[in-house]
Amino acid sequence: MNPLLGILLAALLGGAGAASCFGGNALYPWCDDDLCAGSCTLNNGCLCSNSSITCIPNNSTPCVLNSSACCPSWLFWYPAQACCSVEPICSPECLDDEICTDFNGTTKCSCNRTRYQLSNRYDLQPVVQCRGLWMNISISRCLLESFGFDSATISLRNDTSGCTILNQGILDNKSVVTVPVQLQAGWCGNEMSVNASRMRYSNALHVRPASSAIVKVNPLFLSFSCSVTRAVSSQLQLVLSSSSTPGARFARDVSLPSTVILNAPPLYVGLKVTTSDTSSIALRTEECFSNPFGDSSIVNSVQLITAGHAADQGISTRVIENGNSNLVKFELGMFRFVNQSQLFIFCNSRLCNPLTENCNSKYWVYCLTNLPGVEHTEAYFLQV
């Protein structure tokens, strides 16, 4: 742009409320000016009716195209103010670490490189979000590019087909690249470590330098991990069924008929935890007990399962599966407490690693309640 023209444009900006709108002048009149009587078309933009003079659209003669095609080549359409702007305008607005730029008459949000001038390589830390069966790994796209890396080359430790899926996202109103990682040992380079209270999945992001004539950075490796507690009280689902192979009927509170025949066929109870890592994680229930008061701290509760097997305290209980998969199943004979219309079942369960632990041993006595901060599962109410 000619410097003198730039000074002229700055002096002719619109008034308050439209600070970046061009206000028109003798060379570029308003389209609704009586001498212009202009209109806007797809092929020609906005022109006066009796000449080839370019005019500026306004409220009376709007830009029906709603694009920069209505404006002179050095102006940009500003949808929020419905005017032609001196500065490039992007819609929707750019994020905090982006800037609106002009690419041959088309506006586009690009990384604002000046924002990260004072950043260093230690700021390149991925944000890890553990969510159910997956963890999402997010890293700033613009920060990577400011250091000379190509965000499109991000890959996991194992870069085989189908492992790395790159999603463009927004975090704290900044542009990020997010990689979903399945919580499963060995998946796409995942490594799993186990201690007494947690299971940790770890992997690494590999980012290559941007393609250019001069490469100034080495490939980038960023480690990350997601820790999963082995105490699963808040994750368990209760399964009740009249069959020994419970289906997909899940409930937290289950109502039974008001009249229960105590010598009726048993009830099959299951505890299930959702996990994608069925090869490395099994659900292990150490104990289940029952009382009519809904208080897990009551001492004289009736034990149903102890150390992973039937407690044999007068209640017919048979453990069908425990520590073999993500589902614990046991058979429970119907019973009730004298002069009580309800009962509560409590269970202590944990995640177990069948590759390093004996998860389904009948007399395995590792007790979950020895772990700090571990509580019982929720009370499940059975109306009897």
Side-chain angles (χ1 to χ4, degrees):
M1 181 188 298
N2 187 297
L4 294 178
L5 181 58
I7 295 173
L8 176 65
L9 293 180
L12 293 172
L13 294 179
S20 55
C21 290
F22 178 63
N25 57 27
L27 296 178
Y28 298 94
W30 295 111
C31 291
D32 66 349
D33 185 276
D34 292 339
L35 297 178
C36 177
S39 62
C40 302
T41 63
L42 178 61
N43 295 326
N44 299 319
C46 297
L47 297 175
C48 294
S49 61
N50 57 357
S51 67
S52 59
I53 295 176
T54 299
C55 62
I56 304 299
N58 54 14
N59 293 333
S60 300
T61 307
C63 174
V64 294
L65 308 177
N66 200 31
S67 73
S68 294
C70 291
C71 304
S73 59
W74 39 270
L75 295 178
F76 308 91
W77 181 245
Y78 187 6
Q81 295 288 343
C83 69
C84 293
S85 169
V86 177
E87 301 172 353
I89 302 296
C90 290
S91 181
E93 294 183 359
C94 297
L95 301 174
D96 288 349
D97 57 352
E98 296 177 329
I99 188 172
C100 188
T101 52
D102 172 35
F103 288 89
N104 298 322
T106 301
T107 56
K108 177 183 178 182
C109 290
S110 302
C111 288
N112 184 0
R113 301 295 179 88
T114 61
R115 179 183 179 90
Y116 296 110
Q117 285 180 342
L118 300 180
S119 300
N120 56 57
R121 292 282 292 271
Y122 294 103
D123 295 320
L124 287 170
Q125 295 297 325
V127 177
V128 181
Q129 297 173 306
C130 297
R131 294 179 175 175
L133 307 180
W134 295 80
M135 54 177 160
N136 288 326
I137 315 303
S138 301
I139 188 166
S140 169
R141 177 178 65 88
C142 293
L143 182 58
L144 279 175
E145 294 182 6
S146 70
F147 280 107
F149 295 101
D150 184 357
S151 61
T153 67
I154 294 176
S155 64
L156 294 172
R157 181 183 287 129
N158 184 339
D159 195 22
T160 56
S161 177
C163 279
T164 306
I165 300 175
L166 303 182
N167 298 317
Q168 298 292 330
I170 300 174
L171 186 62
D172 296 331
N173 206 41
K174 298 180 181 65
S175 177
V176 296
V177 179
T178 299
V179 183
V181 179
Q182 190 170 354
L183 291 180
Q184 181 175 336
W187 186 87
C188 296
N190 280 352
E191 296 178 352
M192 186 179 76
S193 58
V194 182
N195 61 25
S197 60
R198 308 192 73 83
M199 292 181 170
R200 183 180 298 275
Y201 295 87
S202 60
N203 206 317
L205 295 180
H206 176 208
V207 192
R208 291 192 291 272
S211 299
S212 62
I214 300 176
V215 178
K216 299 181 180 180
V217 291
N218 293 319
L220 182 66
F221 292 90
L222 297 171
S223 299
F224 60 87
S225 64
C226 178
S227 183
V228 179
T229 179
R230 300 180 71 178
V232 292
S233 61
S234 63
Q235 305 174 40
L236 290 180
Q237 294 173 301
L238 179 68
V239 184
L240 294 181
S241 175
S242 60
S243 168
S244 60
T245 56
R249 181 186 173 208
F250 302 106
R252 304 303 293 258
D253 301 303
V254 181
S255 296
L256 298 179
S258 57
T259 302
V260 175
I261 301 175
L262 297 183
N263 60 356
L267 181 70
Y268 292 91
V269 182
L271 296 171
K272 183 177 182 180
V273 64
T274 302
T275 176
S276 60
D277 197 1
T278 54
S279 62
S280 303
I281 289 181
L283 180 62
R284 169 78 180 180
T285 293
E286 300 300 340
E287 69 168 337
C288 290
F289 53 93
S290 177
N291 66 53
F293 308 112
D295 185 353
S296 61
S297 64
I298 293 178
V299 177
N300 60 347
S301 298
V302 175
Q303 290 292 129
L304 304 176
I305 295 176
T306 301
H309 64 281
D312 193 22
Q313 288 194 359
I315 305 300
S316 176
T317 307
R318 181 172 67 93
V319 177
I320 300 172
E321 181 177 345
N322 191 8
N324 300 95
S325 67
N326 64 329
L327 177 65
V328 172
K329 296 182 287 187
F330 62 93
E331 178 186 285
L332 180 64
M334 294 305 300
F335 69 98
R336 65 182 303 166
F337 293 97
V338 177
N339 298 325
Q340 299 292 334
S341 62
Q342 62 188 25
L343 62 85
F344 293 82
I345 297 176
F346 305 86
C347 291
N348 276 330
S349 302
R350 70 182 190 91
L351 297 178
C352 185
N353 182 5
L355 302 178
T356 59
E357 303 172 66
N358 193 356
C359 297
N360 57 5
S361 173
K362 183 175 181 180
Y363 294 102
W364 197 71
V365 293
Y366 183 88
C367 185
L368 182 69
T369 54
N370 288 335
L371 297 178
V374 174
E375 300 177 354
H376 291 292
T377 61
E378 290 186 19
Y380 297 108
F381 172 67
L382 310 182
Q383 180 70 44
V384 297

